[in-house]
């Protein structure tokens, strides 16, 4: 542990990738050509890419060495056993099923556990999770804790599930139609906010008293464990692996996207306690992903994941990781820029409705903010608001979600402090000139997950 105040990146850079700079004038044209949708901008035309922290991590030299060691045998490869051992150690669950990414795990799980007339309850389902729940015919319901509804409130565990609401719902409907409860840690759609151990324990107690299975969406389990260590009484002297093991001990299974807290560019898994359920998942895995000892992955990917899962629990790394997000928040505070407080584990969520308070919600202030950040600084973020979650009422008017946000997700081990200083400078610049930016209207959209492909034009 370092004793100085400056928290430095706990790595040296061995291999670099160029960033191509564009001018503002070029970006005016690029943005127009992309129909003002950041998903339609080519990565080469982005200076700082904060679209996602998924699959964008820098792998370590050890992971790359593991890639060379990858055993590509179809069945029973050494790489699988190293992967399996690591996941078992962290989750203490016996059945480990590799998949090509998080949503493949969700598709398999909900094909078996979901279905018409069933409910999946959560603190907040991530959008692919919700889509897989709904695709199975089941209904997904989020019970967010009351603190999460106030973006300015500095509470330690705003990712928690509302356990009372959960209890009442199960008591009212009866447990038979409840497929499972899924706790997303950290709570991505709720601002990257952590879930406390006390909440995991309480939700688990309720589930177990009714015989309802509890699963964890574990994408960012290490970041969550670090928050527990920092913020929850009784965990300060526990190690991250100990905290992770305790979190998983309250669950009957988990789904994971290794593209987040495993520093891998692809991969995922399902871990399960129940043998029968594991067998059903494996049967489906064979027809959709692959043989159970590789799932949807190459042996080299399994190696990279196994090594990444150990690296991500390193406390010097987590300290730097969480601090680097907090650091952006402090820069925004100096100017009074609104964002979800406190900063979460993997991203900063700007409150676009208040940031762009001259643009009405039906003209998509989040989309306007994304465009402005790209225009002024070549920064790519993503709107999480009416574009992503908006629906239409019978009269064609927009039904908005509770918040209009722009997420700036920070890839792991990729950007340095000066990149982050630049990002903060651009946000502040856009905030000062915000009156110049106008709202947008949608000119083209698809019926499902419209944010990926929608086209926009500025409202004059
Ligand atoms: N669950 C959570 C909480 C996620 O954040 C994601 C992905 C998934 C599941 C699905 O995993 O992408 O491997 O299929 N989140 C990414 C993001 C895409 O940008 O937040 P996947």
């Amino acid at each position: 542990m370092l004793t100085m105040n400056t928290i430095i990146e706990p790595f040296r850079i061995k291999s670099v990738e160029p960033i191509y700079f564009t001018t503002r004038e070029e970006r005016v044209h690029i943005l127009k050509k992309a129909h003002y949708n950041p998903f339609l901008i080519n990565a080469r035309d982005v200076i700082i890419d904060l679209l996602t922290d998924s699959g964008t991590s820098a792998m370590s030299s050890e992971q790359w060495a593991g890639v060379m060691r990858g055993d590509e045998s179809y069945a029973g490869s050494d790489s699988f056993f190293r992967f399996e051992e690591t996941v078992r150690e962290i989750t203490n669950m016996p059945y480990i099923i590799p998949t090509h990414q998080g949503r493949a795990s969700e598709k398999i799980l909900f094909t078996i556990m979901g279905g018409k007339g069933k409910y999946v309850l959560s603190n907040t389902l991530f959008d692919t999770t919700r889509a897989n729940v709904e695709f199975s015919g089941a209904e997904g319901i989020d019970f967010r804790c009351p603190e999460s509804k106030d973006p300015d409130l500095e509470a330690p565990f705003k990712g928690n599930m509302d356990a009372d609401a959960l209890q009442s719902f199960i008591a009212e409907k009866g447990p038979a139609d409840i497929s499972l409860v899924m706790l997303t840690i950290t709570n991505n759609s709720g601002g990257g906010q952590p879930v406390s151990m006390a909440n995991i324990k309480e939700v688990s107690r309720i589930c177990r008293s009714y015989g309802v299975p509890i699963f964890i969406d574990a994408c960012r389990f290490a970041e969550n464990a670090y928050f527990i260590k920092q913020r929850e009484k009784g965990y300060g002297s526990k190690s991250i692996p100990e905290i992770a093991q305790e979190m998983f001990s309250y669950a009957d299974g988990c789904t994971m996207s290794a593209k987040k807290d495993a520093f891998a560019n692809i991969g995922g898994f399902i871990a399960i306690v129940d043998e029968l359920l594991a067998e059903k998942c494996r049967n489906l895995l064979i027809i959709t992903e692959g043989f159970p000892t590789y799932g949807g992955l190459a042996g080299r990917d399994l190696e990279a994941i196994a090594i990444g899962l150990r690296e991500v629990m390193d406390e010097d790394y987590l300290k730097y990781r969480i601090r680097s997000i907090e650091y952006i928040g402090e820069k925004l505070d100096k100017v009074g820029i609104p964002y979800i407080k406190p900063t979460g584990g993997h991203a900063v969520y700007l409150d676009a409705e208040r940031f762009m308070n001259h643009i009405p919600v039906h003209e998509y202030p989040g989309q306007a903010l994304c465009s402005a950040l790209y225009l002024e600084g070549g920064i790519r973020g993503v709107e999480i608001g009416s574009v992503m979650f908006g629906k239409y009422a019978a009269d064609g008017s927009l039904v908005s979600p509770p918040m209009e946000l722009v997420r700036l997700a920070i890839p792991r081990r990729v950007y340095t402090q000066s990149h982050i200083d630049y990002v903060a400078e651009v946000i502040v610049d856009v905030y000062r000139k915000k009156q110049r930016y106008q709202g947008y209207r949608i000119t083209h959209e698809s019926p499902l997950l419209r944010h990926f492909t929608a086209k926009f034009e500025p409202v004059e």
Side-chain angles (χ1 to χ4, degrees):
M1 282 281 173
L2 293 175
T3 51
M4 297 292 156
N5 286 331
T6 306
I7 295 170
I8 61 174
E9 288 85 355
F11 49 80
R12 297 184 295 184
I13 296 166
K14 178 173 277 185
S15 176
V16 298
E17 224 181 339
I19 290 175
Y20 300 99
F21 294 143
T22 46
T23 62
R24 190 182 188 282
E25 203 185 344
E26 285 165 338
R27 291 194 292 273
V28 170
H29 295 290
I30 294 166
L31 199 56
K32 190 166 179 217
K33 216 174 120 219
H35 303 280
Y36 305 92
N37 183 343
F39 285 100
L40 304 180
I41 298 173
N42 293 346
R44 197 191 167 96
D45 294 330
V46 175
I47 296 177
I48 306 281
D49 203 344
L50 308 183
L51 189 65
T52 179
D53 64 321
S54 180
T56 51
S57 299
M59 292 218 294
S60 67
S61 47
E62 270 312 300
Q63 284 180 292
W64 283 111
V67 166
M68 275 314 292
R69 208 184 303 123
D71 173 358
E72 303 304 340
S73 306
Y74 191 95
S77 76
D78 276 355
S79 298
F80 172 73
F81 293 118
R82 279 191 282 270
F83 163 84
E84 185 188 45
E85 189 193 335
T86 309
V87 180
R88 270 195 190 146
E89 224 175 87
I90 299 169
T91 62
N92 212 11
M93 294 179 191
Y95 303 105
I96 312 301
I97 298 167
T99 61
H100 81 272
Q101 65 183 84
R103 67 198 73 180
S105 306
E106 295 158 5
K107 174 84 172 96
I108 289 171
L109 186 67
F110 293 117
T111 300
I112 295 163
M113 305 274 289
K116 215 168 153 34
K118 301 263 181 188
Y119 297 100
V120 174
L121 313 177
S122 179
N123 49 344
T124 313
L125 293 167
F126 180 67
D127 56 3
T128 61
T129 323
R130 174 173 287 281
N132 274 301
V133 166
E134 289 173 1
F135 190 73
S136 82
E139 190 181 336
I141 304 181
D142 295 340
F143 294 117
R144 293 173 55 183
C145 68
E147 305 92 276
S148 70
K149 290 168 191 161
D150 177 357
D152 289 329
L153 181 73
E154 296 263 1
F157 293 105
K158 288 170 85 174
N160 281 355
M161 186 171 194
D162 185 337
D164 293 338
L166 170 70
Q167 165 104 45
S168 320
F169 187 89
I170 307 180
E172 188 199 319
K173 299 272 174 190
D177 288 334
I178 297 166
S179 305
L180 56 90
V181 168
M182 178 70 99
L183 268 183
T184 310
I185 63 172
T186 57
N187 190 339
N188 184 6
S189 315
Q193 301 289 327
V195 178
S196 72
M197 193 72 88
N199 189 246
I200 300 174
K201 211 168 154 174
E202 174 63 2
V203 169
S204 172
R205 188 194 62 75
I206 296 169
C207 288
R208 290 188 171 161
S209 73
Y210 287 101
V212 171
I214 165 169
F215 273 64
I216 289 179
D217 176 340
C219 296
R220 298 175 181 86
F221 76 97
E223 289 168 5
N224 200 86
Y226 185 76
F227 279 117
I228 288 177
K229 183 175 169 98
Q230 293 307 108
R231 297 180 181 174
E232 195 161 352
K233 208 167 156 255
Y235 290 92
S237 58
K238 294 220 159 118
S239 71
I240 298 298
E242 278 170 340
I243 296 173
Q245 283 157 359
E246 186 182 337
M247 295 187 318
F248 289 109
S249 75
Y250 300 118
D252 301 304
C254 74
T255 54
M256 170 81 184
S257 166
K259 300 172 76 172
K260 284 87 173 172
D261 269 358
F263 299 124
N265 303 124
I266 195 73
F269 57 81
I270 315 173
I272 292 180
V273 174
D274 181 67
E275 188 181 358
L276 191 67
L277 177 60
E279 197 185 321
K280 286 185 189 162
C281 289
R282 282 204 184 112
N283 290 339
L284 198 52
L285 183 86
I286 292 175
I287 56 171
T288 57
E289 293 280 293
F291 187 73
T293 62
Y294 71 84
L297 297 169
R300 53 179 165 268
D301 301 321
L302 294 167
E303 289 284 349
I305 294 167
I307 296 164
L309 283 171
R310 291 184 197 279
E311 288 179 354
V312 80
M313 294 191 289
D314 175 74
E315 258 174 63
D316 289 332
Y317 159 73
L318 286 167
K319 182 177 184 188
Y320 138 80
R321 169 76 175 158
I322 302 303
R323 176 64 197 138
S324 62
I325 315 282
E326 198 178 59
Y327 177 80
I328 306 175
E330 284 169 10
K331 296 217 161 207
L332 303 183
D333 283 339
K334 287 197 181 125
V335 193
I337 293 176
Y339 65 93
I340 293 192
K341 290 183 183 175
T343 44
H346 67 293
V348 172
Y349 293 70
L350 299 172
D351 183 339
E353 195 174 347
R354 283 193 286 159
F355 191 117
M356 291 290 190
N357 56 2
H358 59 295
I359 299 176
V361 166
H362 67 269
E363 290 179 6
Y364 305 111
Q367 203 65 22
L369 180 50
C370 283
S371 286
L373 293 173
Y374 180 74
L375 197 64
E376 303 304 340
I379 296 168
R380 173 155 71 171
V382 65
E383 194 260 15
I384 303 191
S386 288
V387 175
M388 193 180 271
F389 294 121
K391 301 220 155 71
Y392 293 112
D395 67 356
S397 62
L398 178 72
V399 182
S400 293
M403 285 193 252
E404 302 294 325
L405 304 172
V406 167
R407 184 185 76 171
L408 302 175
I410 311 298
R412 294 169 182 77
R413 306 192 293 207
V414 169
Y415 292 116
T416 63
Q417 187 170 344
S418 60
H419 290 121
I420 297 298
D421 285 334
Y422 170 82
V423 169
E425 197 178 327
V426 173
I427 301 171
V428 171
D429 180 55
V430 168
Y431 190 63
R432 296 213 160 111
K433 313 193 290 217
K434 63 179 178 177
Q435 295 296 341
R436 294 187 194 180
Y437 309 107
Q438 74 287 65
Y440 286 82
R441 78 169 65 90
I442 295 179
T443 58
H444 165 88
E445 63 184 295
S446 60
L448 277 180
L449 299 174
R450 66 174 178 173
H451 54 286
F452 289 127
T453 52
K455 294 177 180 172
F456 300 85
E457 69 184 17
V459 176
E460 293 311 331

